[in-house]
Amino acid sequence: MNEILENIKVTDRETFIKFIDLLRKDLLENPNGWENTTLPEFLEALSAYSSDIQGYYNNMKMNVNADEPNWQIFADIFKGAKVYE
């Protein structure tokens, strides 16, 4: 994954838009780094990862409550859907 994409802090709508632009660029430049390259695959993974993201936060020992959404959680879900099986 693009280092800038991995490290971007998404704090508001504007940085989320920048994040989505970087995510799209990453798909175009690095499709082999993506498990879910079609829209149906990506949307399926997006749904599944949205359901499972609290487990990710718990496993990483991050003090994040996914039931209190914010722009960073949305970005984390999109990043996870890139590779989630």
Side-chain angles (χ1 to χ4, degrees):
M1 182 180 292
N2 178 317
E3 184 176 325
I4 295 170
L5 179 63
E6 184 62 31
N7 294 322
I8 187 172
K9 298 298 178 206
V10 180
T11 58
D12 55 22
R13 187 173 57 88
E14 289 300 315
T15 53
F16 184 73
I17 292 166
K18 182 177 179 181
F19 164 78
I20 293 295
D21 290 341
L22 289 169
L23 191 67
R24 179 184 171 275
K25 182 179 177 187
D26 186 61
L27 173 61
L28 294 173
E29 294 177 356
N30 184 31
N32 291 333
W34 285 62
E35 181 69 32
N36 304 299
T37 58
T38 69
L39 184 57
E41 290 171 343
F42 186 78
L43 291 175
E44 181 179 12
L46 193 64
S47 175
Y49 199 69
S50 295
S51 178
D52 292 346
I53 195 164
Q54 188 63 58
Y56 165 78
Y57 290 138
N58 294 345
N59 289 338
M60 299 301 291
K61 307 228 183 306
M62 300 169 73
N63 187 22
V64 176
N65 181 351
D67 289 326
E68 296 176 2
N70 60 50
W71 291 107
Q72 184 63 56
I73 290 174
F74 294 137
D76 290 344
I77 290 169
F78 274 76
K79 279 191 286 188
K82 172 182 162 178
V83 295
Y84 197 72
E85 293 182 45

